[in-house]
Coordinates of all heavy atoms in Angstrom, one line a residue:
A75 N -21.0 103.7 5.2 CA -21.5 102.4 5.7 C -20.4 101.8 6.5 O -20.7 101.3 7.5 CB -22.0 101.5 4.5
Q76 N -19.2 101.7 6.0 CA -18.1 101.1 6.6 C -17.7 101.8 8.0 O -17.5 101.2 8.9 CB -16.8 101.1 5.7 CG -15.6 100.4 6.3 CD -14.5 100.3 5.4 OE1 -14.7 100.3 4.2 NE2 -13.4 100.3 5.9
D77 N -17.7 103.2 7.8 CA -17.5 104.0 9.0 C -18.5 103.7 10.2 O -18.2 103.5 11.4 CB -17.5 105.4 8.7 CG -16.3 105.9 7.9 OD1 -15.2 105.1 7.8 OD2 -16.5 106.9 7.3
F78 N -19.7 103.5 9.7 CA -20.8 103.2 10.8 C -20.6 101.9 11.4 O -20.6 101.7 12.6 CB -22.1 103.2 10.1 CG -23.3 102.8 10.9 CD1 -23.8 103.5 12.0 CD2 -23.9 101.5 10.7 CE1 -24.9 103.0 12.8 CE2 -24.9 101.1 11.5 CZ -25.3 101.9 12.5
L79 N -20.2 100.9 10.5 CA -20.0 99.6 11.0 C -18.8 99.5 12.0 O -18.8 99.0 13.1 CB -19.8 98.5 10.0 CG -19.6 97.2 10.5 CD1 -20.8 96.5 11.2 CD2 -19.2 96.2 9.3
Q80 N -17.7 100.2 11.6 CA -16.5 100.3 12.4 C -16.8 100.9 13.9 O -16.4 100.5 14.9 CB -15.4 101.0 11.8 CG -14.9 100.1 10.6 CD -13.9 100.8 9.8 OE1 -13.7 102.1 9.8 NE2 -13.1 100.2 8.9
S81 N -17.7 102.0 13.9 CA -18.0 102.7 15.0 C -18.8 101.8 16.0 O -18.6 101.8 17.2 CB -18.6 104.1 14.8 OG -19.9 103.8 14.2
I82 N -19.7 101.0 15.4 CA -20.5 100.1 16.2 C -19.7 99.0 16.8 O -19.7 98.7 18.0 CB -21.6 99.4 15.4 CG1 -22.7 100.5 14.9 CG2 -22.3 98.3 16.0 CD1 -23.4 101.1 16.1
M83 N -18.7 98.4 15.9 CA -17.9 97.4 16.4 C -16.9 97.8 17.5 O -16.6 97.0 18.5 CB -17.1 96.7 15.2 CG -18.1 95.9 14.3 SD -17.3 95.2 12.9 CE -16.3 93.9 13.7
K84 N -16.6 99.1 17.5 CA -15.7 99.6 18.5 C -16.4 99.5 20.0 O -15.7 99.5 21.0 CB -15.2 101.0 18.3 CG -14.2 101.0 17.2 CD -13.7 102.5 16.9 CE -12.8 102.6 15.7 NZ -12.5 103.9 15.3
K85 N -17.7 99.6 19.9 CA -18.5 99.7 21.1 C -18.7 98.3 21.7 O -19.1 98.2 22.8 CB -19.8 100.4 20.9 CG -19.6 101.8 20.5 CD -20.9 102.5 20.3 CE -20.6 104.0 19.9 NZ -21.7 104.8 20.1
L86 N -18.5 97.3 20.9 CA -18.7 95.9 21.4 C -17.4 95.4 22.0 O -16.3 95.8 21.6 CB -19.1 95.0 20.1 CG -20.4 95.4 19.4 CD1 -20.5 94.5 18.2 CD2 -21.6 95.1 20.4
P87 N -17.6 94.3 22.9 CA -16.4 93.8 23.5 C -15.6 93.1 22.4 O -16.0 92.7 21.3 CB -17.0 92.5 24.3 CG -18.3 93.0 24.6 CD -18.8 93.8 23.4
E88 N -14.2 93.2 22.6 CA -13.3 92.7 21.5 C -13.6 91.2 21.2 O -14.0 90.4 22.1 CB -11.8 92.8 22.1 CG -10.9 92.5 21.0 CD -9.4 92.9 21.4 OE1 -9.3 93.8 22.2 OE2 -8.5 92.2 21.0
N89 N -13.5 90.8 20.0 CA -13.8 89.4 19.4 C -15.2 89.0 19.6 O -15.5 87.9 19.6 CB -12.8 88.5 20.1 CG -11.3 88.7 19.8 OD1 -11.0 89.1 18.7 ND2 -10.5 88.6 20.7
R90 N -16.1 89.9 19.7 CA -17.5 89.6 19.9 C -18.1 89.2 18.5 O -18.9 88.3 18.4 CB -18.2 90.8 20.5 CG -19.7 90.7 20.5 CD -20.1 89.8 21.7 NE -21.6 89.8 21.7 CZ -22.2 89.0 22.5 NH1 -21.6 88.2 23.2 NH2 -23.6 89.1 22.5
V91 N -17.7 90.0 17.5 CA -18.2 89.6 16.1 C -17.4 88.6 15.5 O -16.2 88.8 15.2 CB -18.3 91.0 15.3 CG1 -18.8 90.6 13.9 CG2 -19.1 92.0 15.9
K92 N -17.9 87.5 15.1 CA -17.3 86.3 14.5 C -17.6 86.2 13.0 O -16.8 85.7 12.2 CB -17.6 85.0 15.2 CG -17.3 85.0 16.6 CD -15.8 85.1 16.8 CE -15.5 84.9 18.4 NZ -14.2 85.1 18.6
K93 N -18.8 86.6 12.6 CA -19.3 86.5 11.3 C -20.0 87.8 10.9 O -20.7 88.4 11.7 CB -20.2 85.3 11.0 CG -19.6 84.0 11.3 CD -20.6 82.8 11.0 CE -19.9 81.5 11.2 NZ -20.8 80.4 10.8
L94 N -20.0 88.1 9.6 CA -20.6 89.3 9.1 C -21.1 89.1 7.7 O -20.4 88.5 6.8 CB -19.6 90.5 9.1 CG -20.2 91.8 8.6 CD1 -20.6 92.6 9.7 CD2 -19.2 92.5 7.8
R95 N -22.3 89.6 7.4 CA -22.9 89.5 6.1 C -23.3 91.0 5.7 O -23.9 91.6 6.6 CB -24.2 88.6 6.0 CG -24.7 88.6 4.6 CD -25.9 87.6 4.6 NE -26.4 87.6 3.2 CZ -27.1 88.3 2.6 NH1 -27.4 89.5 3.1 NH2 -27.5 88.1 1.3
A96 N -22.8 91.4 4.6 CA -23.0 92.8 4.3 C -23.4 93.0 2.8 O -23.1 92.2 1.9 CB -21.7 93.7 4.5
D97 N -24.2 94.1 2.6 CA -24.5 94.4 1.2 C -23.5 95.1 0.4 O -22.4 95.3 0.9 CB -25.9 95.2 1.2 CG -25.8 96.6 1.7 OD1 -24.6 97.1 1.7 OD2 -26.8 97.2 1.9
S98 N -23.7 95.4 -0.9 CA -22.7 95.8 -1.7 C -22.2 97.2 -1.3 O -21.1 97.7 -1.8 CB -23.1 95.9 -3.2 OG -24.3 96.8 -3.3
G99 N -22.8 98.0 -0.5 CA -22.4 99.3 0.0 C -21.1 99.1 0.8 O -20.2 100.1 1.0
F100 N -20.8 98.0 1.3 CA -19.6 97.6 2.1 C -18.5 97.1 1.3 O -17.4 96.8 1.8 CB -19.9 96.6 3.3 CG -20.7 97.3 4.4 CD1 -22.1 97.2 4.3 CD2 -20.1 97.8 5.5 CE1 -22.9 97.7 5.3 CE2 -20.9 98.4 6.5 CZ -22.3 98.4 6.4
F101 N -18.7 96.9 0.0 CA -17.7 96.2 -0.9 C -16.5 97.1 -1.1 O -16.7 98.1 -1.9 CB -18.4 95.7 -2.1 CG -17.4 95.0 -3.1 CD1 -16.9 93.8 -2.8 CD2 -17.0 95.8 -4.2 CE1 -16.0 93.2 -3.6 CE2 -16.0 95.1 -5.0 CZ -15.5 93.9 -4.7
S102 N -15.3 96.8 -0.5 CA -14.1 97.5 -0.9 C -13.0 96.5 -0.4 O -13.2 95.9 0.6 CB -14.0 98.8 -0.3 OG -13.7 98.8 1.0
L103 N -11.8 96.6 -1.1 CA -10.8 95.7 -0.6 C -10.3 96.2 0.8 O -9.9 95.4 1.6 CB -9.6 95.7 -1.6 CG -9.9 94.9 -2.9 CD1 -8.7 95.1 -3.8 CD2 -10.2 93.5 -2.6
D104 N -10.3 97.5 1.0 CA -9.9 98.0 2.3 C -10.8 97.4 3.4 O -10.2 97.1 4.4 CB -9.9 99.5 2.4 CG -8.8 100.2 1.5 OD1 -7.8 99.5 1.3 OD2 -9.0 101.4 1.2
F105 N -12.0 97.4 3.2 CA -12.9 96.9 4.2 C -12.7 95.3 4.4 O -12.7 94.8 5.5 CB -14.4 97.2 3.8 CG -15.4 96.7 4.8 CD1 -15.4 97.2 6.1 CD2 -16.4 95.7 4.5 CE1 -16.2 96.7 7.1 CE2 -17.3 95.3 5.4 CZ -17.2 95.8 6.7
L106 N -12.6 94.5 3.2 CA -12.3 93.2 3.5 C -11.0 92.9 4.1 O -11.0 92.0 5.0 CB -12.3 92.6 2.0 CG -13.6 92.7 1.2 CD1 -13.4 92.0 -0.1 CD2 -14.8 92.2 1.9
H107 N -10.0 93.7 3.9 CA -8.7 93.5 4.7 C -8.9 93.8 6.1 O -8.4 93.1 7.0 CB -7.6 94.4 4.0 CG -7.1 94.0 2.7 ND1 -6.9 94.8 1.7 CD2 -6.8 92.8 2.2 CE1 -6.5 94.1 0.6 NE2 -6.4 92.9 0.9
W108 N -9.8 94.9 6.4 CA -10.1 95.2 7.8 C -10.7 94.1 8.5 O -10.4 93.7 9.7 CB -11.0 96.4 7.7 CG -11.3 97.0 9.1 CD1 -10.4 97.9 9.8 CD2 -12.4 96.8 9.9 NE1 -11.1 98.2 11.0 CE2 -12.4 97.5 11.1 CE3 -13.5 96.0 9.7 CZ2 -13.3 97.5 12.0 CZ3 -14.6 96.0 10.7 CH2 -14.4 96.8 11.8
L109 N -11.7 93.4 7.9 CA -12.4 92.2 8.5 C -11.3 91.0 8.6 O -11.3 90.3 9.6 CB -13.4 91.8 7.5 CG -14.7 92.8 7.5 CD1 -15.6 92.3 6.3 CD2 -15.3 92.9 8.8
M110 N -10.5 90.8 7.7 CA -9.5 89.8 7.6 C -8.5 89.9 8.8 O -8.2 89.0 9.5 CB -8.8 89.6 6.4 CG -9.7 89.1 5.3 SD -9.0 89.1 3.6 CE -7.5 88.4 3.7
M111 N -8.1 91.2 9.0 CA -7.2 91.4 10.2 C -7.9 91.2 11.6 O -7.2 90.8 12.5 CB -6.8 93.0 10.2 CG -5.7 93.3 9.1 SD -5.1 95.0 9.0 CE -6.1 95.9 10.2
R112 N -9.1 91.3 11.6 CA -9.8 90.9 12.9 C -10.3 89.6 12.9 O -11.1 89.2 13.8 CB -11.0 92.0 13.0 CG -10.5 93.3 13.4 CD -11.3 94.5 13.0 NE -10.8 95.7 13.4 CZ -9.8 96.3 12.6 NH1 -9.3 95.8 11.6 NH2 -9.3 97.5 13.1
Q113 N -10.0 88.7 11.9 CA -10.4 87.3 11.8 C -11.9 87.1 11.8 O -12.4 86.2 12.5 CB -9.7 86.4 12.8 CG -8.2 86.5 12.7 CD -7.4 85.7 13.7 OE1 -8.0 85.4 14.8 NE2 -6.2 85.2 13.4
I114 N -12.6 88.0 11.1 CA -14.0 88.0 11.1 C -14.4 87.2 9.7 O -13.9 87.6 8.7 CB -14.7 89.3 11.1 CG1 -14.3 90.0 12.4 CG2 -16.2 89.3 10.8 CD1 -14.7 91.5 12.5
E115 N -15.2 86.2 9.8 CA -15.7 85.5 8.6 C -16.8 86.4 8.0 O -17.6 86.9 8.7 CB -16.3 84.2 9.0 CG -16.8 83.3 7.9 CD -17.4 82.0 8.2 OE1 -17.1 81.5 9.4 OE2 -18.2 81.5 7.5
F116 N -16.6 86.6 6.7 CA -17.5 87.5 6.0 C -18.1 87.0 4.7 O -17.5 86.2 4.0 CB -16.9 88.8 5.8 CG -15.6 88.8 4.9 CD1 -15.7 88.9 3.6 CD2 -14.4 88.6 5.5 CE1 -14.5 88.8 2.8 CE2 -13.2 88.6 4.8 CZ -13.3 88.7 3.5
Y117 N -19.3 87.5 4.4 CA -20.0 87.4 3.2 C -20.5 88.7 2.7 O -21.3 89.4 3.4 CB -21.2 86.4 3.3 CG -20.7 85.1 3.9 CD1 -20.7 84.9 5.3 CD2 -20.4 84.0 3.1 CE1 -20.2 83.7 5.7 CE2 -20.0 82.8 3.6 CZ -19.9 82.6 5.0 OH -19.5 81.5 5.4
V118 N -19.9 89.2 1.6 CA -20.2 90.6 1.2 C -20.7 90.5 -0.3 O -20.1 89.9 -1.1 CB -19.0 91.4 1.3 CG1 -19.3 93.0 0.7 CG2 -18.4 91.5 2.7
V119 N -21.9 91.2 -0.5 CA -22.4 91.2 -1.9 C -21.5 92.0 -2.7 O -21.0 93.0 -2.4 CB -23.8 91.8 -1.9 CG1 -24.3 92.0 -3.3 CG2 -24.8 91.0 -1.0
V120 N -21.2 91.5 -4.0 CA -20.3 92.2 -4.9 C -21.1 92.9 -6.0 O -22.0 92.3 -6.5 CB -19.3 91.2 -5.5 CG1 -18.4 91.9 -6.5 CG2 -18.5 90.4 -4.5
P121 N -20.8 94.2 -6.2 CA -21.6 94.9 -7.3 C -21.4 94.2 -8.6 O -20.4 93.6 -8.9 CB -21.0 96.3 -7.3 CG -20.3 96.4 -6.0 CD -19.9 95.1 -5.5
Q122 N -22.5 94.1 -9.4 CA -22.6 93.5 -10.6 C -21.7 94.2 -11.7 O -22.2 94.8 -12.6 CB -24.0 93.2 -11.1 CG -24.7 92.2 -10.3 CD -24.2 90.8 -10.7 OE1 -23.9 90.4 -11.7 NE2 -24.3 89.9 -9.7
Q123 N -20.4 94.1 -11.6 CA -19.5 94.7 -12.5 C -19.3 93.8 -13.7 O -19.4 92.6 -13.6 CB -18.2 95.2 -11.9 CG -18.5 96.2 -10.8 CD -17.3 96.6 -9.9 OE1 -16.2 95.9 -10.1 NE2 -17.4 97.5 -9.0
V124 N -18.8 94.3 -14.8 CA -18.6 93.5 -16.0 C -17.7 92.3 -15.8 O -18.0 91.2 -16.1 CB -18.1 94.4 -17.2 CG1 -17.7 93.5 -18.3 CG2 -19.0 95.5 -17.6
W125 N -16.6 92.6 -15.0 CA -15.6 91.4 -14.8 C -16.4 90.3 -14.0 O -16.1 89.1 -14.2 CB -14.4 91.8 -14.0 CG -14.6 92.5 -12.7 CD1 -14.7 93.8 -12.4 CD2 -14.8 91.8 -11.5 NE1 -14.9 94.0 -11.0 CE2 -15.0 92.7 -10.5 CE3 -14.7 90.4 -11.1 CZ2 -15.1 92.4 -9.1 CZ3 -14.8 90.1 -9.7 CH2 -15.0 91.2 -8.8
L126 N -17.3 90.8 -13.0 CA -18.0 89.7 -12.3 C -19.0 89.0 -13.1 O -19.3 87.8 -13.0 CB -18.6 90.3 -11.0 CG -19.4 89.4 -10.1 CD1 -18.6 88.3 -9.6 CD2 -20.1 90.2 -9.0
Q127 N -19.7 89.7 -14.0 CA -20.7 89.2 -14.8 C -20.1 88.1 -15.7 O -20.8 87.0 -15.9 CB -21.4 90.2 -15.7 CG -22.3 91.2 -14.9 CD -22.8 92.4 -15.7 OE1 -22.4 92.6 -16.8 NE2 -23.6 93.2 -15.0
K128 N -19.0 88.4 -16.2 CA -18.2 87.4 -17.0 C -17.8 86.1 -16.3 O -18.1 85.0 -16.8 CB -17.0 88.0 -17.6 CG -17.3 88.9 -18.7 CD -15.9 89.5 -19.2 CE -16.2 90.7 -20.3 NZ -14.9 91.2 -20.7
M129 N -17.5 86.2 -15.0 CA -17.2 85.1 -14.1 C -18.4 84.4 -13.8 O -18.4 83.1 -13.8 CB -16.5 85.7 -12.9 CG -15.1 86.3 -13.3 SD -14.0 86.3 -11.9 CE -13.4 84.7 -12.0
I130 N -19.5 85.0 -13.6 CA -20.8 84.3 -13.2 C -21.2 83.5 -14.4 O -21.7 82.3 -14.3 CB -21.8 85.3 -12.8 CG1 -21.5 85.9 -11.4 CG2 -23.2 84.6 -12.7 CD1 -22.4 87.0 -10.9
L131 N -21.1 84.0 -15.7 CA -21.5 83.3 -16.8 C -20.6 82.1 -17.0 O -21.1 81.1 -17.7 CB -21.4 84.2 -18.1 CG -22.4 85.4 -18.2 CD1 -22.2 86.3 -19.3 CD2 -23.8 84.7 -18.2
S132 N -19.4 82.0 -16.5 CA -18.5 80.9 -16.6 C -18.8 79.7 -15.5 O -18.2 78.7 -15.7 CB -17.1 81.3 -16.5 OG -16.7 81.7 -15.2
I133 N -19.7 80.1 -14.6 CA -20.0 79.0 -13.6 C -20.7 77.8 -14.3 O -21.6 78.0 -15.0 CB -20.8 79.6 -12.5 CG1 -20.1 80.7 -11.8 CG2 -21.3 78.5 -11.5 CD1 -20.9 81.4 -10.7
R134 N -20.2 76.6 -13.9 CA -20.8 75.4 -14.6 C -21.5 74.6 -13.6 O -22.2 73.6 -14.0 CB -19.7 74.6 -15.3 CG -18.9 75.3 -16.3 CD -19.7 75.5 -17.6 NE -19.1 76.1 -18.6 CZ -19.5 77.4 -19.0 NH1 -20.6 77.9 -18.6 NH2 -18.8 77.9 -20.0
N135 N -21.4 74.8 -12.4 CA -22.0 73.9 -11.3 C -23.2 74.5 -10.7 O -23.4 74.6 -9.5 CB -21.0 73.6 -10.2 CG -20.5 74.8 -9.5 OD1 -20.5 75.9 -10.0 ND2 -20.0 74.7 -8.3
W136 N -24.2 74.9 -11.6 CA -25.4 75.4 -11.0 C -26.3 74.3 -10.4 O -26.4 73.2 -11.0 CB -26.2 76.1 -12.2 CG -25.5 77.3 -12.8 CD1 -24.8 77.5 -13.9 CD2 -25.6 78.6 -12.1 NE1 -24.3 78.7 -14.1 CE2 -24.8 79.5 -13.0 CE3 -26.2 79.1 -11.0 CZ2 -24.6 80.8 -12.7 CZ3 -25.9 80.6 -10.8 CH2 -25.1 81.3 -11.7
R137 N -27.0 74.6 -9.3 CA -27.9 73.6 -8.7 C -29.2 74.3 -8.6 O -29.3 75.3 -8.1 CB -27.4 73.2 -7.3 CG -26.2 72.3 -7.2 CD -25.8 71.9 -5.9 NE -25.5 73.1 -5.1 CZ -25.9 73.3 -3.8 NH1 -26.4 72.4 -3.1 NH2 -25.6 74.5 -3.2
E138 N -30.3 73.5 -9.0 CA -31.6 74.1 -8.8 C -31.9 74.0 -7.4 O -31.7 73.0 -6.7 CB -32.5 73.3 -9.7 CG -32.3 73.6 -11.2 CD -33.5 72.9 -12.0 OE1 -34.7 73.0 -11.6 OE2 -33.2 72.4 -13.1
F139 N -32.8 75.0 -6.9 CA -33.2 75.0 -5.6 C -34.7 75.5 -5.4 O -35.3 75.6 -4.4 CB -32.4 75.8 -4.6 CG -32.3 77.3 -4.8 CD1 -33.2 78.1 -4.2 CD2 -31.5 77.8 -5.7 CE1 -33.2 79.4 -4.3 CE2 -31.5 79.2 -5.9 CZ -32.3 80.0 -5.3
G140 N -35.3 75.7 -6.6 CA -36.7 75.9 -6.6 C -37.2 76.1 -8.0 O -36.3 76.1 -8.9
K141 N -38.4 76.4 -8.3 CA -38.9 76.5 -9.6 C -38.4 77.7 -10.3 O -38.6 78.8 -9.8 CB -40.4 76.6 -9.6 CG -41.0 76.6 -11.0 CD -42.6 76.6 -10.9 CE -43.1 76.5 -12.3 NZ -44.5 76.4 -12.4
G142 N -37.5 77.5 -11.3 CA -36.9 78.5 -12.1 C -35.8 79.2 -11.5 O -35.3 80.2 -11.9
L143 N -35.3 78.7 -10.4 CA -34.1 79.2 -9.6 C -33.0 78.2 -9.5 O -33.1 77.0 -9.4 CB -34.5 79.6 -8.2 CG -35.6 80.7 -8.2 CD1 -36.1 80.8 -6.7 CD2 -35.2 82.0 -8.7
A144 N -31.8 78.7 -9.6 CA -30.5 78.0 -9.5 C -29.4 78.8 -8.9 O -29.5 80.0 -8.9 CB -30.0 77.4 -10.9
I145 N -28.5 78.1 -8.2 CA -27.4 78.7 -7.5 C -26.2 78.1 -7.9 O -26.1 76.9 -8.1 CB -27.7 78.8 -6.0 CG1 -26.6 79.7 -5.3 CG2 -27.5 77.4 -5.5 CD1 -26.9 80.0 -3.9
G146 N -25.1 78.9 -8.1 CA -23.8 78.4 -8.4 C -22.7 79.4 -7.7 O -23.1 80.6 -7.4
G147 N -21.6 79.0 -7.3 CA -20.7 79.7 -6.6 C -19.3 79.7 -7.3 O -19.0 78.9 -8.0
L148 N -18.5 80.7 -6.8 CA -17.1 80.7 -7.3 C -16.4 81.4 -6.2 O -17.0 82.2 -5.3 CB -16.9 81.4 -8.6 CG -17.4 82.9 -8.6 CD1 -16.2 83.9 -8.3 CD2 -17.9 83.2 -10.1
H149 N -15.1 81.2 -6.1 CA -14.3 81.8 -5.0 C -12.9 82.3 -5.7 O -12.4 81.4 -6.4 CB -14.0 80.8 -3.9 CG -13.1 81.4 -2.8 ND1 -11.8 81.3 -2.8 CD2 -13.4 82.1 -1.8 CE1 -11.2 81.8 -1.8 NE2 -12.2 82.3 -1.1
L150 N -12.6 83.4 -5.3 CA -11.3 84.0 -5.8 C -10.6 84.5 -4.6 O -11.2 85.2 -3.7 CB -11.6 85.1 -6.8 CG -12.2 84.7 -8.1 CD1 -12.7 85.9 -8.8 CD2 -11.4 83.8 -8.9
P151 N -9.4 84.3 -4.4 CA -8.6 84.9 -3.3 C -8.6 86.5 -3.3 O -8.6 87.1 -4.4 CB -7.2 84.3 -3.4 CG -7.0 83.9 -4.8 CD -8.4 83.5 -5.3
I152 N -8.6 87.1 -2.1 CA -8.5 88.6 -2.1 C -7.1 89.0 -2.2 O -6.2 88.3 -1.5 CB -9.1 89.0 -0.7 CG1 -10.6 88.5 -0.7 CG2 -8.9 90.5 -0.6 CD1 -11.3 88.8 0.6
P153 N -6.7 89.8 -3.1 CA -5.3 90.4 -3.2 C -4.8 90.9 -2.0 O -5.7 91.5 -1.2 CB -5.4 91.3 -4.3 CG -6.8 91.5 -4.8 CD -7.6 90.6 -3.9
P154 N -3.6 90.7 -1.6 CA -3.0 91.3 -0.5 C -3.1 92.9 -0.4 O -3.2 93.4 -1.5 CB -1.5 90.9 -0.5 CG -1.3 90.0 -1.6 CD -2.6 90.1 -2.5
E155 N -3.0 93.4 0.6 CA -3.1 94.9 0.7 C -2.0 95.6 -0.1 O -0.9 95.0 -0.2 CB -2.9 95.3 2.2 CG -4.2 95.3 3.0 CD -3.9 95.9 4.4 OE1 -4.3 97.1 4.6 OE2 -3.6 95.2 5.3
G156 N -2.3 96.6 -0.7 CA -1.4 97.2 -1.6 C -1.3 96.8 -2.9 O -0.6 97.3 -3.8
H157 N -2.1 95.6 -3.3 CA -2.1 95.2 -4.7 C -3.5 95.4 -5.2 O -4.5 95.0 -4.7 CB -1.8 93.6 -4.7 CG -0.4 93.3 -4.4 ND1 0.1 93.4 -3.0 CD2 0.6 93.0 -5.2 CE1 1.4 93.0 -3.1 NE2 1.7 92.9 -4.3
A158 N -3.6 96.1 -6.3 CA -4.8 96.4 -7.0 C -5.3 95.1 -7.6 O -4.5 94.4 -8.2 CB -4.7 97.5 -8.0
P159 N -6.5 94.8 -7.6 CA -7.1 93.5 -8.2 C -7.0 93.7 -9.7 O -7.1 94.8 -10.3 CB -8.5 93.5 -7.8 CG -8.9 94.9 -7.4 CD -7.6 95.6 -6.9
G160 N -6.7 92.6 -10.5 CA -6.7 92.7 -11.9 C -8.0 92.2 -12.4 O -9.0 92.4 -11.8
G161 N -8.1 91.6 -13.5 CA -9.2 91.1 -14.2 C -10.0 90.0 -13.3 O -11.2 89.9 -13.4
D162 N -9.2 89.3 -12.5 CA -9.8 88.3 -11.6 C -10.1 88.9 -10.2 O -10.3 88.1 -9.3 CB -8.9 87.2 -11.5 CG -8.7 86.3 -12.7 OD1 -9.6 86.6 -13.6 OD2 -7.8 85.5 -12.9
S163 N -10.1 90.1 -10.0 CA -10.5 90.9 -8.9 C -10.1 90.3 -7.5 O -9.8 91.0 -6.6 CB -11.9 91.2 -8.9 OG -12.3 92.0 -7.8
G164 N -10.3 88.9 -7.3 CA -10.0 88.4 -6.0 C -11.1 88.5 -5.1 O -10.8 88.7 -3.8
I165 N -12.2 88.2 -5.5 CA -13.4 88.4 -4.5 C -14.3 87.2 -4.7 O -14.5 86.6 -5.8 CB -14.2 89.6 -4.7 CG1 -13.3 90.9 -4.8 CG2 -15.3 89.7 -3.8 CD1 -12.5 91.1 -3.5
G166 N -14.8 86.6 -3.6 CA -15.7 85.5 -3.7 C -17.1 86.0 -4.1 O -17.5 87.1 -3.8
S167 N -17.9 85.1 -4.7 CA -19.3 85.7 -5.1 C -20.2 84.4 -5.3 O -19.7 83.3 -5.5 CB -19.2 86.3 -6.5 OG -20.4 86.7 -6.9
Q168 N -21.5 84.6 -5.2 CA -22.5 83.6 -5.7 C -23.4 84.3 -6.6 O -23.7 85.6 -6.5 CB -23.3 83.2 -4.5 CG -22.5 82.3 -3.6 CD -23.5 81.6 -2.7 OE1 -24.6 82.1 -2.3 NE2 -23.2 80.5 -2.1
G169 N -23.8 83.5 -7.7 CA -24.6 84.1 -8.7 C -25.9 83.3 -8.8 O -25.9 82.1 -8.4
R170 N -27.0 83.9 -9.2 CA -28.2 83.2 -9.3 C -28.8 83.4 -10.7 O -28.5 84.5 -11.3 CB -29.3 83.7 -8.3 CG -28.9 83.4 -6.9 CD -30.0 83.8 -6.0 NE -29.6 83.6 -4.7 CZ -30.4 83.8 -3.6 NH1 -31.6 84.1 -3.8 NH2 -29.9 83.6 -2.4
K171 N -29.3 82.4 -11.3 CA -29.9 82.6 -12.6 C -31.1 81.5 -12.7 O -31.2 80.5 -11.9 CB -28.9 82.2 -13.7 CG -28.6 80.8 -13.8 CD -27.7 80.5 -15.1 CE -27.5 79.0 -15.3 NZ -26.9 78.7 -16.5
A172 N -31.9 81.8 -13.7 CA -33.0 80.9 -14.0 C -32.4 79.7 -14.8 O -31.6 80.0 -15.7 CB -34.1 81.6 -14.7
P173 N -32.6 78.4 -14.5 CA -32.0 77.4 -15.3 C -32.5 77.3 -16.7 O -33.5 77.8 -17.1 CB -32.5 76.1 -14.6 CG -33.5 76.5 -13.6 CD -33.5 78.0 -13.5

């Protein structure tokens, strides 16, 4: 998925892409660093791994936005290149739950 996106972006004029939203198939620190180097604002779905599930459960600022739906957010800094994420992984995420 990442190779496909990179090949498409190479065909576009430089600095054409300013924002990107991607599904969990694009989730990797290498890809996030690649986007940051190009100063592209991004929103990437994070796979529901155990460390992320624990963090979502700790969110306290849930807001209802529909019948039986609520949204809450958290933000974690992305670790610099060459540093493996620890338990706090360093990725932003939004979680949804029924209130």
